[in-house]
Amino acid sequence: MANKTEIKALEIGEKIAKKQNVYIVDVTYKKTEETYSLCYYIDKEGGIGIDECELFSKAVEELLDADDFIENNYTLEVSSPGADRKLTKEREFLYYIGREVDVKLYKAENGAKEFMGVLKDYKENTAFIDVDGNIMEIPAKQAVYIRLSFKF
């Protein structure tokens, strides 16, 4: 569940994302050892590079400073979601509908614990994945991970 800081940071970031034609996959606000960290994970069709992250960072930092709603000192980070990032939030699942995903379950279903398929939908904490023409309903809590599939 997103906290108030993440929700507000997402609202502010969406203004920049729209202008820069990127999508905010996730926003996290966490306490680290010495301070807090506010991290935006952004993506776009074809992938995201360091230049896009830097451009987004500079623009969103300006709006965050102007709003000044975060009480604690924090470090701002902007990153791509990463190739092995586990999908966790609804907005991530919805953004990646139509993409191939790797799935690993805690308990085998139809004889398989690990498989690949195409993410077709996500509703009520359940991923709907097309595996060879069969739609599997995978509650997120039953998966060790559901993540984008990358072929190198």
Side-chain angles (χ1 to χ4, degrees):
M1 188 65 157
N3 62 45
K4 290 178 187 176
T5 301
E6 291 170 346
I7 293 167
K8 179 73 173 172
L10 176 62
E11 288 172 9
I12 289 172
E14 290 285 17
K15 298 171 188 173
I16 302 302
K18 188 173 183 175
K19 288 179 185 174
Q20 296 181 359
N21 293 318
V22 299
Y23 181 79
I24 300 172
V25 175
D26 194 13
V27 177
T28 60
Y29 179 70
K30 298 178 182 175
K31 178 140 177 56
T32 61
E33 288 182 25
E34 297 178 20
T35 187
Y36 286 81
S37 172
L38 176 64
C39 188
Y40 287 89
Y41 296 93
I42 62 173
D43 203 359
K44 69 176 185 179
E45 192 64 39
I48 210 84
I50 192 149
D51 292 338
E52 289 99 349
C53 289
E54 184 179 353
L55 189 64
F56 184 88
S57 178
K58 287 179 180 177
V60 81
E61 181 177 36
E62 194 173 293
L63 291 182
L64 290 168
D65 287 348
D67 197 291
D68 198 28
F69 71 97
I70 301 175
E71 295 176 15
N72 302 306
N73 290 332
Y74 65 94
T75 303
L76 175 63
E77 299 174 33
V78 178
S79 175
S80 72
D84 61 349
R85 180 181 167 86
K86 179 179 168 180
L87 303 180
T88 58
K89 294 184 180 171
E90 181 179 35
R91 72 181 285 112
E92 292 176 275
F93 281 98
L94 295 176
Y95 179 71
Y96 291 117
I97 286 175
R99 296 277 303 267
E100 198 167 76
V101 292
D102 293 325
V103 180
K104 182 174 183 178
L105 302 175
Y106 288 108
K107 184 179 173 188
E109 188 163 316
N110 297 330
K113 275 181 88 169
E114 294 185 56
F115 53 90
M116 188 183 309
V118 176
L119 180 62
K120 290 298 195 181
D121 202 357
Y122 187 80
K123 295 178 195 164
E124 299 175 11
N125 296 317
T126 300
F128 295 82
I129 301 170
D130 183 335
V131 180
D132 299 325
N134 297 315
I135 302 295
M136 296 182 69
E137 294 182 26
I138 309 295
K141 66 182 179 186
Q142 292 181 6
V144 174
Y145 61 75
I146 300 173
R147 62 183 180 207
L148 294 181
S149 181
F150 283 94
K151 293 175 179 67
F152 297 97

